């Protein structure tokens, strides 16, 4: 049996109840076969793949807090410190009822490759809780965040592990988490990114993931003889990534026509209005039905279905496994030429294969959404230097990083004879640097 197959079988057996983690490991190792085979004996002797697929540390903890009725609630807290070969652990915190160890391990594993692809010195980690911020008062969210940090602070630090936002964790939550860390540790340090501008945040961090996604999409199309100008774009999600992807799509001359949340989706024939979207989701924290009230030509559909929209480019920006085989078939049939992932692993393995074999350009999230973590690393640099760069300075660095990421994965795919397979390219380019660093650091 090949070394890759051996390790895949072991991962499936050891993590039998963790489907998302197995899915992520399978996608990565399958596409690394050629690279691994070249050094199979050395890698096997050093158990490189076993070490790469086993987190350095998983921290699981209780998060008790008191709701507005005086009732004590208890949630599960997680921080998975996956790989620190190339820098301190770095990766977001997710607050969503679907969070469990499998989800956090898959995200931490993916983060390791994504962070490597940015070219910046950051390792991979991820954390979160099954707490649902939806419908909670600000006081309840603060009580939860303070309790969460009262345990998490023991394991993080500006040079150890630097969490950030993710689903359900935006400026409000980062503020409460930072305040509690500072109170307990009595140190003012860049222990979290995504901070507010008044206390060490970076300009353009809020926009970075969505903007970066569009910079990379633009480069992908340009290198394939196309341009975003005049294209119709379907976007899923209505959160941080989706909102700023929509904004940058407009700025680059495309027309984004959809967005979605966990209840339904919107088609706006005039193009999604960013100000209305921000007012509904960020200011009023309301459902997308409210968007349609403000935009009479827009149509609201209950449930799933955003990928039935006729579009040139599809940008899944909500959550994992939201674009399945049927969706991929509909997109291809409707003439979609590119699917670029804003979310982490939004496309299932069979849907990805279908797109790749039916002439649709496909770029995975670990490359396409890396602008968020790259700008978080820029925030860490500014914090260390006690400096603040302007919006334009950060945005220009972000654009350069995204264009470089695309060329790194494009080159890696070509080097191994898999031109246009950007999944393989991303995994190979991300893997090489981490593997080199792990080999250099001995058996740890
Ligand atoms: P937000 O919480 O801001 O937004 C998430 C959006 O997705 C919301 O519209 C939410 O709907 C929807 N959503 C969440 N879960 C589900 C679900 N199970 N089914 C359908 N819709 C769902 O998160 P972000 O925009 O920050 O993150 C979106 C994706 O991008 C995630 O995969 C995240 O890991 C990834 N990502 C985020 C980065 C960042 O910088 N924020 C960086 C890199 C990746 P509702 O409003 O109903 O909750």
């Amino acid at each position: 049996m090949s070394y890759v197959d051996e390790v895949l079988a072991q991962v499936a057996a050891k993590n039998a109840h963790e489907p998302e983690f197995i899915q992520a490991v399978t996608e990565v190792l399958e596409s690394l076969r050629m690279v691994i085979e070249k050094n199979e004996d050395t890698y096997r002797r050093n158990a490189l793949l076993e070490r790469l697929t086993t987190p350095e540390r998983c921290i699981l903890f209780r998060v008790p807090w008191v709701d507005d009725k005086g009732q004590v609630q208890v949630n599960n807290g997680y921080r998975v410190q996956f790989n620190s070969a190339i820098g301190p652990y770095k990766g977001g915190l997710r607050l969503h009822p679907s969070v469990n160890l499998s989800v956090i391990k898959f995200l931490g594993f993916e983060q390791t490759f994504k962070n490597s692809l940015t070219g910046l010195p950051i390792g991979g980690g991820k954390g979160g809780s099954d707490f649902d911020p939806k419908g909670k008062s600000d006081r309840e969210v603060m009580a939860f965040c303070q309790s969460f940090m009262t345990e998490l602070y023991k394991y993080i630090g500006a040079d150890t592990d630097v969490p950030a936002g993710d689903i359900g964790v935006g400026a409000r939550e980062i503020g409460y988490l930072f305040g509690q860390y500072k109170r307990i540790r009595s140190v003012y340090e860049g222990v979290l990114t995504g901070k507010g501008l008044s206390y060490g945040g970076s300009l353009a961090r809020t926009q970075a993931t969505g903007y970066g996604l569009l910079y990379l999409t633009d480069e992908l199309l340009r290198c394939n003889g196309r341009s975003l100008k005049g294209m119709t774009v379907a976007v899923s999600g209505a959160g941080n990534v989706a909102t700023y992807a929509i904004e940058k799509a407009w700025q680059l001359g495309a027309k984004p026509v959809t967005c979605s949340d966990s209840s339904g989706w919107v088609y706006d024939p005039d193009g999604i209005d960013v100000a209305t979207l921000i007012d509904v989701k960020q200011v009023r924290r309301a459902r997308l039905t409210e968007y349609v009230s403000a935009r009479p030509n827009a149509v609201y559909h209950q449930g799933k279905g955003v990928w039935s929209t006729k579009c040139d480019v599809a940008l899944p920006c909500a959550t994992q496994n939201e674009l399945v085989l049927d969706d991929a078939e509909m997109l291809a049939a409707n003439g979609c030429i590119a699917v670029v992932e804003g979310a982490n692993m939004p496309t299932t393995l069979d849907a990805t294969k279908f797109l790749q074999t039916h002439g649709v350009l496909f770029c995975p999230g670990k490359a396409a959404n890396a602008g968020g973590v790259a700008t978080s690393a820029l925030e860490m640099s500014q914090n260390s230097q006690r400096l603040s760069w302007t919006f334009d300075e950060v945005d220009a660095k972000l654009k350069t990083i995204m264009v470089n990421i695309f060329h790194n994965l494009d080159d890696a795919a070509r080097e191994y004879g898999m031109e246009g397979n950007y999944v393989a390219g991303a995994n190979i380019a991300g893997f090489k640097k981490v593997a080199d660093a792990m080999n250099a650091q001995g058996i740890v």
Side-chain angles (χ1 to χ4, degrees), residues 253-317:
K255 184 176 176 188
V257 291
T258 63
C259 60
S260 68
D261 63 14
S262 41
S263 312
W265 60 283
V266 164
Y267 172 73
D268 189 335
D270 303 324
I272 297 293
D273 183 64
V274 178
T276 307
L277 183 61
I278 289 178
D279 179 54
V280 171
K281 296 305 285 189
Q282 292 181 27
V283 181
R284 291 193 271 144
R285 295 183 191 272
R287 311 309 299 162
L288 279 177
T289 39
E290 301 287 314
Y291 176 94
V292 181
S293 312
R295 300 270 296 173
N297 288 342
V299 187
Y300 179 79
H301 302 267
Q302 190 75 30
K304 296 186 177 201
V306 70
W307 309 123
S308 62
T309 307
K310 190 168 166 43
C311 64
D312 303 304
V313 174
L315 304 175
C317 297

Side-chain angles (χ1 to χ4, degrees), residues 94-96 98 106-107 111 114 126 132 134 165-170 205-206 208-210 236-243 260-264 281 286-288 304 316-320 322 342-346 365 369-373 376:
R94 176 175 292 192
L95 299 182
H96 193 270
S98 63
F106 118 64
L107 289 164
Q111 194 83 41
K114 179 190 308 192
K126 200 82 188 189
D132 187 358
K134 259 191 225 112
D166 190 75
I167 292 180
V169 177
R205 173 60 187 93
T206 306
T209 308
S236 67
N240 173 272
V241 181
T243 302
S260 68
D261 63 14
S262 41
S263 312
K281 296 305 285 189
R287 311 309 299 162
L288 279 177
K304 296 186 177 201
C317 297
T319 191
Q320 64 268 14
E322 52 155 320
N344 283 312
M345 208 170 72
N369 68 29
V373 73
S376 277

Side-chain angles (χ1 to χ4, degrees), residues 59-102:
I59 302 146
L60 276 67
F61 50 98
R62 181 172 71 196
V63 190
W65 56 280
V66 183
D67 71 17
D68 285 347
K69 296 190 188 101
Q71 175 65 49
V72 175
Q73 303 285 344
V74 181
N75 286 101
N76 297 327
Y78 304 87
R79 185 72 183 166
V80 171
Q81 298 180 330
F82 218 105
N83 192 305
S84 62
I86 63 169
Y89 309 105
K90 181 93 198 83
L93 297 171
R94 176 175 292 192
L95 299 182
H96 193 270
S98 63
V99 164
N100 56 37
L101 189 58
S102 172

